[in-house]
Amino acid sequence: MSIMEYNGGAVLAMVGKNCVAIASDLRFGVQAQTLSTNFSKVFPISSKCFLGLSGLATDILTLHQKLVFKNNLYKLREEREMSPRVFANMVASTLYEKRFGPFFSEPVIAGLEGPENKPYITAMDLLGAPVDAHDFVMSGTCTPAMYGMCETLYRPNLEPDDLFETISQCLLAAFDRDAITGWGAVVHILTPTGVISRKLKGRQD
Amino acid sequence: METILAIKLKDVVITLSDTNAGRSIVKMKDDEDKILVLDQHKLLLTSGEAGDRIQFCEYISKNVSLYELRNGYELTMNAAANYIRNELATAVRQSPYQVNLILAGHDSHDGASLYFMDYLGSMQKMSFTCHGYAGYFLLSLLDKHWREGMSIDEGVQLLHMCIQELKTRFIVNTNYIAKSVGAEGVRVVPLNSAA
């Protein structure tokens, strides 16, 4: 039994045309027992930056609290928002600080960078090793299934509505192949004009 | 593992716990009250390692009282839940408290609410929840019979359904105690076996 598979869960982010999508499942459980179907693993940091965290639930909550705290301090001192790239760097540093006793959580960051709102996504492992991608990133217990789905369905420069359809199909199909992920999903589409959030039902098992 | 459960009704949270206190195969006490009254509008149900349970409960209880003394008002449910979670999460990497909890209560901000917490520091606000072996028997029963905005009578009926299920299928035979918490405060709910 791996500590990263104790609670289960998955997060996925995808790039579109002047927009990004980030999604997670809604299951909160302990090994085989599902306790709640309302645990979103995607958290807003600003209107232009969202953070998704997979892995051990307690570390998801702790990391989220720490990062929101650091973000708030930055905003108070700098009197401006943190850009997604800078935020991602801060997440990586926060994780590496605990190199020999890490947080058991693997983040995914999705945002719109700069005044031109250029889409930016990145993911990292539990030690903070980042990987920037131009198409999609994911973390969680069903990453192989998600990789397969995304590689097949993804096309560059999708409009927000098409991006929503694509990311939804990818995650719903991937979740059905993992026992400890699923029970619904939440998808956030970040566009320069605002955020559209939708809940998906999917198979409730 | 002890049975503790809580169900959110309309403006009230009703809680149940078993009254067994034992070691291995010996039942030392059968009227142990595991539902701690944290303050006028909060109940803390705990299950787990015996020493950790009492120590952690007392620590939380005194700190919650201190907050009220210092500030002149009670902690909100959300604040209390997050405070308890942070204590658990900080301890988990040093010397973990092996305590699973349910915090149930009422405040003017959120109405009746209940929070599930486990010994690692996971936390989730829920409509009904259980800890221990009870979950295997009762979560599906509650999924089926719980509705939004149930009255206290319907809630007590649901509790009796749960107790009956445990009496039928759970190997451990024990008595139960139930308490409710709402805007008016904490009350002990009488559980007559006839119902």
Side-chain angles (χ1 to χ4, degrees):
Chain A
M1 191 266 296
S2 160
I3 193 82
M4 298 294 287
E5 283 152 26
Y6 185 72
N7 291 120
V11 184
L12 171 59
M14 233 184 232
V15 166
K17 191 179 167 102
N18 300 322
C19 60
V20 281
I22 183 164
S24 84
D25 72 323
L26 293 175
R27 180 181 180 271
F28 169 65
V30 169
Q31 295 186 303
Q33 189 180 46
T34 301
L35 289 156
S36 171
T37 55
N38 202 18
F39 182 45
S40 166
K41 297 162 193 74
V42 179
F43 307 99
I45 300 295
S46 75
S47 58
K48 298 274 174 75
C49 180
F50 272 54
L51 168 72
L53 291 160
S54 71
L56 196 61
T58 179
D59 285 346
I60 292 174
L61 296 171
T62 303
L63 257 183
H64 169 236
Q65 288 179 340
K66 275 188 181 299
L67 292 166
V68 164
F69 172 75
K70 287 183 169 187
N71 185 51
N72 285 338
L73 263 184
Y74 181 97
K75 283 198 297 196
L76 285 169
R77 288 183 178 135
E78 299 275 324
E79 294 177 15
R80 63 193 174 108
E81 295 276 5
M82 224 191 282
S83 78
R85 199 174 290 271
V86 167
F87 179 73
N89 202 302
M90 185 182 75
V91 174
S93 306
T94 307
L95 291 169
Y96 196 76
E97 272 174 356
K98 303 283 184 195
R99 170 62 178 82
F100 299 108
F103 289 114
F104 295 106
S105 181
E106 300 192 322
V108 165
I109 292 130
L112 298 168
E113 183 81 22
E116 305 99 32
N117 292 313
K118 189 165 178 298
Y120 173 77
I121 54 169
T122 188
M124 45 197 91
D125 70 359
L126 74 171
L127 298 179
V131 161
D132 290 358
H134 296 293
D135 40 20
F136 45 83
V137 287
M138 67 277 287
S139 81
T141 49
C142 58
T143 39
M146 286 194 283
Y147 270 120
M149 284 305 302
C150 289
E151 206 63 64
T152 317
L153 296 184
Y154 179 79
R155 281 171 293 124
N157 293 321
L158 286 166
E159 294 293 332
D161 286 336
D162 297 326
L163 183 65
F164 168 74
E165 279 304 321
T166 308
I167 196 174
S168 303
Q169 293 301 327
C170 286
L171 47 88
L172 285 176
F175 292 170
D176 288 347
R177 283 291 182 178
D178 183 8
I180 50 175
T181 308
W183 283 97
V186 63
V187 182
H188 303 279
I189 312 284
L190 281 75
T191 64
T193 46
V195 178
I196 311 156
S197 302
R198 294 192 186 96
K199 273 205 171 131
L200 304 173
K201 194 153 184 195
R203 280 186 68 105
Q204 299 293 295
D205 62 359
Chain B
M1 259 252 257
E2 299 97 7
T3 297
I4 50 172
L5 84 93
I7 305 169
K8 185 176 87 139
L9 311 170
K10 189 176 166 63
D11 303 328
V12 158
V13 182
I14 194 165
T15 65
L16 180 80
S17 119
D18 71 345
T19 54
N20 234 2
R23 292 285 179 281
S24 171
I25 56 169
V26 177
K27 198 193 287 186
M28 293 193 300
K29 190 171 192 252
D30 67 356
D31 55 2
E32 171 87 353
D33 184 356
K34 294 172 196 165
I35 308 180
L36 177 75
V37 178
L38 208 56
D39 68 27
Q40 240 200 330
H41 296 101
K42 291 182 195 58
L43 293 174
L44 189 62
L45 295 88
T46 47
S47 87
E49 181 69 44
D52 285 350
R53 243 191 66 225
I54 306 295
Q55 297 284 31
F56 187 71
C57 268
E58 282 185 3
Y59 176 68
I60 296 296
S61 160
K62 297 314 161 204
N63 274 290
V64 167
S65 300
L66 182 61
Y67 183 96
E68 194 184 341
L69 287 168
R70 277 184 176 149
N71 298 293
Y73 50 84
E74 290 172 352
L75 274 164
T76 60
M77 275 297 287
N78 189 39
N82 274 292
Y83 166 67
I84 298 171
R85 189 209 90 81
N86 276 312
E87 290 292 336
L88 287 165
T90 316
V92 79
R93 283 181 152 84
Q94 289 161 351
S95 63
Y97 289 109
Q98 284 176 46
V99 190
N100 296 313
L101 337 136
I102 301 174
L103 177 70
H106 184 282
D107 64 9
S108 46
H109 197 256
D110 284 325
S113 52
L114 78 96
Y115 291 83
F116 165 100
M117 270 171 271
D118 82 357
Y119 72 103
L120 295 169
S122 317
M123 180 178 84
Q124 182 76 340
K125 186 172 182 203
M126 301 210 224
S127 304
F128 56 82
T129 191
C130 334
H131 269 297
Y133 292 118
Y136 292 107
F137 301 98
L138 301 177
L139 279 172
S140 44
L141 195 151
L142 291 166
D143 276 331
K144 177 84 182 165
H145 290 107
W146 183 86
R147 291 177 332 269
E148 187 71 53
M150 290 170 82
S151 71
I152 184 104
D153 289 326
E154 289 171 322
V156 175
Q157 234 180 355
L158 189 49
L159 269 191
H160 277 111
M161 244 191 267
C162 292
I163 294 170
Q164 189 51 43
E165 181 62 28
L166 290 173
K167 279 195 156 76
T168 314
R169 289 297 184 180
F170 189 35
I171 206 170
V172 176
N173 188 21
T174 169
N175 293 324
Y176 296 92
I177 184 175
K179 291 186 185 170
S180 75
V181 57
E184 341 73 46
V186 173
R187 259 182 223 149
V188 175
V189 175
L191 292 170
N192 15 343
S193 45

